[in-house]
Each structure stands twice: as C-alpha cells, then as structure tokens.
Amino acid sequence: MTSAHRPPSPPDGPRPSAGTAPRPTAPSAPTWDNAPPAGREGRTPESAPGARRARDARTGPRGVPTATYRIQVRPEFPFAAVRAAVPHLARLGVSHLHLSPVLEAVPGSAHGYDVTDHGRVREELGGEAGLRALAEEARAHGMGLVLDIVPNHMAVPVPADLNRPLWDVLRHGPESAYAHWFDIDWQAGDGRLLMPFLGGPLGEEMQGLAVDRENGALRYGEQRYPLRAAPAASRGPQGRPAEPAAAPESAETAETAETAELPALLDAQHYRLAWWRLARSDINYRRFFTIPELIGLRTEHPEVFEATHGTVLRLVREGVVTGLRVDHPDGLADPADYFARLSERTGAVWTVAEKILGSGERLPDGWQVAGTTGYDALRHVDGVLTSSRGSAELTERYRAFTGAPPDLGGDWAATVRRAAYHVITHDLAAECGRLVRTAERLCREVPALRLRDHARWALRTAVVELLAGLPVYRPYVPQGGPPSPADEAVLASAAEAAGAAFAVPQEAEAVRTVRELALGRLGGGRDADDFRVRFAQVAAAVRAKSVEDAAFYRYTPLLSACEVGGDPSRPALPPEVFHAYCARIQRDWPFTGTVLSTHDTKRSADARARIAALSEDPRGWTGLLARLTELTAADGGCRAPDPHLAWSVWQLALGLGGSPDPDRLLAAVLKSVREAGLHTSWLVPDPAYEAAVERFVLAGPCGAARAELAAYAAALAPRARVNVLAGTLLQLTMPGVPELYQGTETEYLALVDPDNRALPVLPEKRLVALDEGTAPEGTADEKLRLTAAALRLRRARPQWFGAEGDYRPLAAAGPAAEHCLAFVRGGRVVTAVTRLPGRLAEGGGWRGTALQLPEGSWRDLLTGRTVHHGAALEELFADAPVALLVRPEDGS
C-alpha cells in the first residue's frame, strides 16, 4: 500500500493526449471466467474470531513459512527467471517464495497491482503453466509459494476493454450486470461515470477524438471506450451476469455512431470523458488513493469476491499456492469480514495483511490473519538502533539549518495536519464532497437528525476536521456495530480537537453528528452504511497521502525515520520498548510478518542504516554540510535552491554510500520534491525550480563535493556496518516470519520506487564461495553469511521460533550494558547485537561489560567460538558486532 505501491507514472500527473508515444501493444482480449454466484458459507462457532485465535495460538495457520523471499515478477523477470533462482534461495535458507501480483495486468506493468482480469495468470510472466512450473521447482527444493493479491481495485487500462467488466459498465451504465462491482456514485455524476483521461479540456481535445464505426467505440490516441448500447438488460441465465462484451454489436449503436454529431454523441454516453485535472473535484468512483487509473472494487459483495478470487482460490486449493499477502485491506468496506471469508475459502492458509499501524495502534484482534506484512517490526528494529539523544540534537540543528516553519517541515504534528488539510480539500475533494452530501441527506431524512439543523458548511467542516485529526489510517466499525474501544477513542480524540474549528458551540454539534455517523450509531439504512464505510475508506487515503506522500518528504531531520510505518517525531526507541513489542507479538501474533526492505520502502534497510548513523554524529554532520555547501558553490557558483532540499539531498546521497549514481539520485530527488509539494508538485510542476534542483544534484553530491561526502561516508562506515548487521540479525530472529526483499541478503542500497524495483541481482556464486570457506570481504559478505546462518537455523529448528518458541530478553551487566541488545528464543538460541557503536566508542568500549547468558555453554554460529554465562562482550564481539548462539549439542 503502502501507502503502499504506486504505478510507474506520477499520481494524478498529466495524462497522455492523442499525440503521445505509443504504449506497449496489448495482447488479445482476455477470457473471463465467470464464477457462478456463491452465497456466503455458514460460519461454525469454531470459525469465529475468538475461537480462531485460541486455536491458532499453538498450531498456527496452515503452511506457516520459516522465512519468505519477495521477488518482483515482471515481463523482464518472469516466472522462468524466478525458477532459475530457486536453487540459490533454497541454499540461502528461505522456505517460501513471495511473488508480486501475478494476475493479468496492464500490458508492460512493472508491478502488477493494476489488475485487468482476475480469471487469468498473466501471460507476460509465463501464464499459469509458467507459474505451475515454478511451483513444481520450488516444491522440489522444499519451498512453497506466497502470492500478493489485490482485492481493493482494478485498472482503468488503455484500452479500456482490457478490463471487460468495466467495459460493460461503460457500455450499459447503471444497468450493467457489473455495475455493482465498482464503487461508483452515479448520483454525483448525474448518471454518468467520469473518465478523467483527456490531456486537456474537452473542447481542446475534440480533434483527437474519433468514432470507430466498425467496432462501435470512441478512440482517443490509444484509449478506447465503448459507445452506449441499445437499451437491454445485460443478464445471462438465472439473472447472472453475462460474459462482458468486448465491443457493442447492436445495429442501433452502429447507426448512432454514423449519424450523430460528436458533441451529442459524447453527451449520450454512460460516461463523461474529461480533462485529467477534473479528477480531484469531480471523480465519482472510489479510486486507490488519488490514482484514477485504479478503480475501487466492491469485494464485500459475495459474487464479486468469488469472481475476483476464483483463480487464486483454485491455485490454493490445488496446492500451487501456499500463502497469501493481501494488499491494502484498509481500502475494503469491512476488512474483518473480508479476512473471515478469505480464511474460510482458503482453509486458513497463512495470510498476512499489508496493514500500516500508527504509533501505539494494534492490529484488530478479530482479523483472521497471521498478522501484518511487518512495517511495525521495521519501525522497532530501526528505532532501537537509533540514538535518542543524537536524533534530538540533529532535529534542532535541522530546524536551524532549514528555517522551516512548523507546519511546513519544522514540527511533525503541524506538518502532518497541514498536509492532511490539503489532501482532503484538494486531492480528495470529490471524496470529501460525497461524504458531505451523504451527511446532508441523512440530516434531512433520519428522524433523529432532522431537528439538528446543521448547515452544509458546518457538516463539511466537521468532516474535514475529523479526517485531518485521525492519528491512524481508519476506524473499523462493522455493520450493526458496536465500534471497538480503540475506534471510540481515536474518533473521540479527533472530535475534541475538531470542535476548536467552530466559534459557536451549537454549530460545533455538527462534529458530534459526523462522529456518530462514522461510528455507525445513528441508525442503519443505505446512506448510513455508505457514510460509515466511505468515511473509513477516505480516512485511509487521507492518512497515506498526507503522511507517506507528503509529510515524510517535508519533515526530514533524519530520513531513516521517514519510512512506511515510522514516526519521525520519535525516531529512536529504547531497548525496553523493543522487548515489550517482541513479547506482545510473540504472545498475540507469533506468525506475523517482519520486514526491513520492501518494494514500497522509501529507502532500503542498508541505506537507512547509513543515514541512522548520523544520529550519533549530529555536530559532525552539520559541520560537513557547511563544507559541502562551500565546495558546491565554489564550482560555478551552484547552490541548492533552498536549505531544506540541501539537507535532504545530502542525506540521500549518503544513503547510497557517498558516491551516488547521478541518474538514480536525481530521479529520487525529483520525486521527493514533487511529493513534498513545497516548491513544485506532480499537478503543478515548476520547471525552473526543478532545473535548479538538477543543477544542484549534479554539481554537488555528484560533482565537486563528491569526494568530501565519500570521505565522510567512509569514516561513518564502521558504524553503518554495525547497524546493517544488527538490524539484519534482529529481524531474522525476533518473533514473526521474516521476509527478505530481492537482493537484500547482501548489501542493497536502494531509494524510492522505481529505484527499489529494479531487476534483482542475486549473489548465488558469492554464497557458494562463502559456504566453501572463502573469507568474507566487507559488510556485503558478512551480511550474506549472517543471513544464511540465521535462515538455515530457522528452517532446521522452526520450533524455536514459532508459537512455542517464547521470547525472553537478556540483560548485560557493566558500564556499557545499554549498548548490547540480546534475547533468547525457545530457550535454545540467543541473539546478541551491538547498538549505538559511536557512543560506545566515545565511552571507552565495553570495559568489562558481560552478557548474562543462560547457564551452560553456547556456540556462536558465525565464528565457532564457545562462550559461557557471563560472557565478556569484548570477547563475544571481537570478530563481529553480532552473535548468534546455540547450544553445542544442537548443532547448526
């Protein structure tokens, strides 16, 4: 979701006009497997959420991995390429391959989240035969397959007939048998669906529109839309949806196409072709965040669920697929109900939800999943390896250097709130308008609300303020309620703050009305249910766009903390918070996922490890910036267009190791400044500012100051090494199921997508060499050897790391005790890592500090050294800053 994934083109960016370069050629029209409507299977008492949790606490879901490995499949890296990598991944020690979405998608898609046909495995990847061959190869090496599935949305592709249910809706309008598939507000569009894909205003683009009389379609460049069908129900036998037509065939349609004038013809359609800029204010279908090319699905309908999940369910049933990752469940009407249905239909196969938890937020207990995809684990691993004292000083120096106003990068909370206001009133203005209109109707029609006498502006203000004030993605109020205490609390807090926007107390009553509607406590009915569901879905989009896609780029004291699931206002976490988190996860969600790098992280774990080291050197960093500024200015007088940009760009360059590739760095920087929206944006780009950014990047970190930055990076490298190895071992041995992203078993320095979605380079030969006794050469080799040792141990001894494995912190004793983080799993394996190595060195090293191991002898799998209770840390960490210990009799 991420805010998770993004299409390769900029969100809400300029749409192609008739004269743009051609897109990849589309394959032949896909088939569509129409699964017969299936009613909801009855739930036995044993399948209720509470019973599920009690049952799974010991046994776990079916097919729990010991570790997964995520690969971004794409036309350039299809199933056959993944199949060739299976022997390496088996040797590494993973138990499951995790594939990005594999169903039919927009031709050429590099990510697969733009699904066009749920009935087919994507031919560009090798089709179902290729997927089955990959599964067979994996099974031969003792591995399973996990699939990433996308229940929230489908693509509005080019041409539109690639999504044949949507094509049917465009042709037949509200009467289409597929109209209920998509979340469309027909009333808002006067019975027409807005298609905001013209490159300019309609009047200016008319010359680019053409009528295809032979096929009964409208053409605009490579775009193609159907002409309205003759009035007739699109129903098959027993009232089931008929096969979506590829193109209209009626004589009446053809005659209309031949005789009508173009403006009249456009007005007669069930859709309205419009300038792409109208999406913000006029769009009348739910989309993925602010991306019109992704239209929201109503998976809450059993028939839609069956039709969109039939292929995946069959693959699970046949054993081809053994686990699932569910993308963006916060976009669904009722995630708990969805996961219950999915669990029933898959036989409770291991499933994780891409749920991004806010600070202090917990995964809803009733969700029938193994846990999250692991951004909460990322936050705790990164946080415990960051200096609290140093990050606080770094933040003050950042404020002095940038001079950023509080709500434009100077203060985290104020920055988030300002960004949220902008998202609600601009980017999601259409969605906000729908909520206000629904609230107005309810206030007119519901007896309990009729006498409250709310003005429209008051309801709008209440909606805006409540959405802006939510500290989490969304509430989860089921139909019929009641709301959970957590949902009550977050909405009560947001409502209290929202009241301050009203000068007259009686007018502030609108806040209470909107809050009660969001909690589902003002009766049922279509509009009441619509408001409750849509409020939650819009809230998720607001949070993603305002935090992940705006505030993370505006508030940048320490870029390593500006990560999905992170809290930049609190970048550092003490060991006791880390231990408490791990103990709770072990108790409540022992099979949840854990990650450090994904296709959605803004910087890879190794890049963040280098940046996090700055928290131990705030003075050195600001002194370096002064020298870098002088060097850059001396070379042709080039300066950063603003100090905020300079602070962020130098950190990004440091994350790439100090000698960044110009193309990669520049692409990430340009995306950052557009997302930040402080001086330029996707919607209103400023060419002069962006040109100045490019000049600075090329003249500074990629030019005159490159050597100075590289020298600093080299000096910081020993601390970065500690962070890399410590973070790796913590993630691989803490409670949960670890996932490795493609290529991260060795050094992996990547920035925001698409940089982090490049074709994987897997270190097969290097792993073989290390296994054969070649000495490690640098951090990359150390990380590879450490990763293999931990993964192989998990695979050999899964009971030590599962629900029965328990988690117990271990304490060090001595003057440097705070610099050792250690715990024991299952009583049989100990993880010990060094934290804050810079502060450790400044304090004089370990100085007799010892780790209080359980009684007996322990062997380090990394060095072969044997240690005992009260092991001296100076000895334990003599060769590496981490240790992975087992009992000698347990082997490796």
Side-chain angles (χ1 to χ4, degrees):
M1 159 188 54
T2 95
S3 158
H5 55 268
R6 299 286 183 274
S9 58
D12 278 347
R15 308 291 172 235
S17 62
T20 53
R23 299 194 184 195
T25 303
S28 57
T31 59
W32 190 268
D33 294 334
N34 263 319
R40 180 69 179 279
E41 295 181 11
R43 254 184 242 168
T44 62
E46 290 75 22
S47 68
R52 191 275 307 171
R53 293 295 303 283
R55 181 180 70 248
D56 290 348
R58 296 303 176 195
T59 63
R62 181 164 59 90
V64 177
T66 62
T68 64
Y69 192 98
R70 167 82 176 206
I71 293 183
Q72 295 291 109
V73 285
R74 53 196 294 180
E76 301 88 347
F77 200 87
F79 298 140
V82 182
R83 185 178 176 187
V86 165
H88 163 67
L89 300 178
R91 185 178 193 124
L92 185 64
V94 299
S95 68
H96 286 64
L97 299 176
H98 174 194
L99 305 181
S100 57
V102 302
L103 298 183
E104 201 63 70
V106 171
S109 173
H111 50 80
Y113 290 99
D114 42 4
V115 178
T116 58
D117 186 346
H118 293 89
R120 296 174 60 188
V121 176
R122 192 174 174 188
E123 291 297 333
E124 289 180 305
L125 303 179
E128 187 166 324
L131 180 64
R132 288 180 176 275
L134 171 58
E136 285 296 324
E137 182 73 14
R139 189 177 299 113
H141 286 79
M143 301 166 67
L145 287 187
V146 175
L147 286 191
D148 192 345
I149 61 174
V150 191
N152 176 66
H153 53 262
M154 287 184 75
V156 183
V158 175
D161 58 354
L162 293 177
N163 182 340
R164 295 178 68 191
L166 178 61
W167 180 272
D168 196 83
V169 172
L170 295 175
R171 185 183 180 210
H172 295 280
E175 299 304 313
S176 167
Y178 294 87
H180 69 294
W181 275 47
F182 304 104
D183 196 352
I184 301 170
D185 184 0
W186 292 102
Q187 184 176 2
D190 294 326
R192 302 170 73 195
L193 181 62
L194 187 77
M195 290 278 101
F197 301 112
L198 298 182
L202 178 60
E204 298 177 6
E205 298 297 318
M206 288 286 284
Q207 72 278 6
L209 292 169
V211 179
D212 181 348
R213 293 178 173 83
E214 181 179 353
N215 295 298
L218 275 171
R219 292 185 178 274
Y220 175 72
E222 291 193 342
Q223 299 178 32
R224 185 167 68 245
Y225 303 94
L227 293 177
R228 182 171 185 153
S234 173
R235 290 282 168 186
Q238 289 92 40
R240 294 199 296 270
E243 178 77 7
E249 298 175 351
S250 73
E252 181 175 335
T253 299
E255 182 179 351
T256 300
E258 290 181 10
T259 61
E261 293 291 334
L262 188 54
L265 183 66
L266 293 174
D267 289 342
Q269 303 310 310
H270 288 296
Y271 53 89
R272 173 191 167 200
L273 288 179
W275 187 18
W276 62 268
R277 285 188 178 275
L278 297 186
R280 293 192 296 171
S281 58
D282 291 11
I283 201 164
N284 62 330
Y285 59 85
R286 182 171 58 85
R287 46 193 168 154
F288 174 72
F289 299 154
T290 59
I291 303 176
E293 293 89 348
L294 298 175
I295 184 171
L297 280 169
R298 301 195 68 187
T299 316
E300 63 268 26
H301 287 279
E303 176 196 325
V304 179
F305 176 92
E306 294 297 329
T308 56
H309 288 68
T311 299
V312 169
L313 293 175
R314 174 172 56 81
L315 293 171
V316 171
R317 186 170 60 248
E318 295 172 0
V320 177
V321 173
T322 53
L324 298 173
R325 172 205 189 260
V326 176
D327 180 69
H328 189 45
D330 277 339
L332 302 176
D334 187 343
D337 186 72
Y338 170 82
F339 284 123
R341 182 184 288 119
L342 187 66
S343 180
E344 290 171 358
R345 297 305 312 280
T346 64
V349 72
W350 183 79
T351 300
V352 289
E354 190 214 15
K355 168 59 187 169
I356 298 168
L357 298 169
S359 184
E361 184 185 12
R362 297 192 178 185
L363 190 65
D365 183 74
W367 286 16
Q368 294 194 36
V369 294
T372 72
T373 53
Y375 287 118
D376 43 322
L378 180 157
R379 154 114 171 94
H380 284 82
V381 171
D382 280 9
V384 80
L385 299 178
T386 301
S387 169
S388 175
R389 184 178 67 185
S391 58
E393 182 180 346
L394 193 68
T395 299
E396 291 307 311
R397 290 175 175 272
Y398 156 82
R399 288 172 176 149
F401 184 91
T402 64
D407 60 348
L408 289 174
D411 175 78
W412 172 246
T415 297
V416 169
R417 195 167 187 89
R418 175 163 179 160
Y421 281 133
H422 182 85
V423 168
I424 297 164
T425 59
H426 290 76
D427 300 338
L428 297 173
E431 287 80 356
C432 180
R434 177 177 177 176
L435 289 172
V436 174
R437 289 192 301 273
T438 306
E440 278 190 290
R441 285 197 302 272
L442 287 165
C443 286
R444 287 195 306 266
E445 299 166 6
V446 176
L449 295 178
R450 194 175 299 146
L451 301 180
R452 295 197 178 180
D453 222 12
H454 297 310
R456 182 175 189 179
W457 73 263
L459 289 172
R460 182 180 185 279
T461 300
V463 167
V464 170
E465 293 293 331
L466 280 173
L467 288 172
L470 283 180
V472 296
Y473 265 65
R474 57 167 281 180
Y476 301 97
V477 183
Q479 185 173 12
S484 69
D487 289 337
E488 288 257 20
V490 296
L491 277 164
S493 174
E496 183 177 357
F502 294 85
V504 179
Q506 292 94 326
E507 291 175 336
E509 281 295 302
V511 173
R512 185 163 68 94
T513 295
V514 172
R515 182 196 67 192
E516 295 299 288
L517 287 172
L519 289 171
R521 291 201 292 221
L522 293 179
R526 180 176 178 178
D527 276 343
D529 287 342
D530 184 80
F531 187 94
R532 172 182 54 81
V533 170
R534 305 304 164 227
F535 181 89
Q537 291 172 320
V538 174
V542 169
R543 187 73 180 171
K545 293 301 297 179
S546 60
V547 175
E548 294 176 35
D549 293 344
F552 275 176
Y553 293 101
R554 295 179 180 179
Y555 181 85
T556 60
L558 188 65
L559 282 181
S560 58
C562 300
E563 194 49 84
V564 183
D567 180 1
S569 68
R570 193 187 178 196
L573 297 174
E576 55 267 26
V577 170
F578 177 87
H579 287 312
Y581 166 80
C582 288
R584 180 174 62 80
I585 291 300
Q586 177 65 27
R587 182 189 70 231
D588 296 340
W589 303 97
F591 304 110
T592 189
T594 69
V595 294
L596 289 184
S597 298
T598 76
H599 60 292
D600 278 332
T601 46
K602 300 186 184 303
R603 284 153 287 276
S604 66
D606 292 351
R608 296 197 311 275
R610 283 155 175 75
I611 297 170
L614 295 179
S615 69
E616 295 194 84
D617 190 29
R619 295 184 182 181
W621 173 246
T622 50
L624 173 69
L625 287 187
R627 298 195 300 276
L628 295 173
T629 300
E630 292 176 2
L631 287 169
T632 305
D635 185 25
C638 185
R639 293 185 179 275
D642 62 89
H644 180 274
L645 173 79
W647 182 279
S648 302
V649 166
W650 291 118
Q651 285 197 20
L652 277 178
L654 181 69
L656 286 179
S659 297
D661 174 84
D663 291 337
R664 293 175 60 202
L665 180 61
L666 182 59
V669 171
L670 286 175
K671 180 169 184 174
S672 297
V673 296
R674 288 172 180 167
E675 295 280 23
L678 296 174
H679 304 281
T680 186
S681 68
W682 296 109
L683 291 177
V684 189
D686 183 334
Y689 179 81
E690 294 186 2
V693 169
E694 182 172 356
R695 287 194 300 271
F696 167 68
V697 170
L698 297 179
C702 299
R706 186 183 189 124
E708 183 79 8
L709 181 65
Y712 181 81
L716 208 64
R719 299 181 188 181
R721 167 181 173 258
V722 173
N723 286 351
V724 167
L725 298 179
T728 298
L729 186 55
L730 289 177
Q731 188 230 346
L732 295 180
T733 56
M734 69 190 292
V737 177
E739 170 157 295
L740 275 72
Y741 186 59
Q742 56 186 30
T744 59
E745 63 267 42
T746 186
E747 185 175 54
Y748 180 76
L749 301 176
L751 303 179
V752 70
D753 68 281
D755 189 61
N756 60 13
R757 302 185 187 188
L759 297 180
V761 178
L762 308 183
E764 295 103 324
K765 294 181 179 179
R766 196 60 196 156
L767 180 58
V768 172
L770 290 173
D771 283 344
E772 292 176 350
T774 300
E777 297 178 3
T779 303
D781 275 2
E782 287 186 289
K783 183 184 179 186
L784 179 58
R785 188 178 65 167
L786 169 62
T787 299
L791 291 180
R792 292 166 182 173
L793 180 63
R794 291 188 68 104
R795 186 172 60 187
R797 307 287 186 175
Q799 68 277 14
W800 294 352
F801 299 93
E804 297 285 357
D806 76 27
Y807 176 91
R808 184 161 58 89
L810 293 179
E818 65 174 321
H819 293 284
C820 177
L821 182 71
F823 52 82
V824 60
R825 300 297 315 277
R828 309 300 298 181
V829 57
V830 169
T831 287
V833 306
T834 304
R835 59 184 296 268
L836 310 183
R839 303 288 189 194
L840 175 64
E842 291 171 5
W846 292 112
R847 293 172 295 154
T849 304
L851 179 61
Q852 306 303 306
L853 293 169
E855 294 292 342
S857 60
W858 296 84
R859 185 169 64 86
D860 188 351
L861 292 181
L862 305 177
T863 65
R865 182 182 291 110
T866 299
V867 296
H868 303 275
H869 177 73
L873 291 177
E874 190 169 21
E875 176 186 350
L876 183 64
F877 295 141
D879 299 316
V882 300
L884 180 60
L885 310 176
V886 297
R887 302 280 189 182
E889 63 270 21
D890 289 325
S892 60

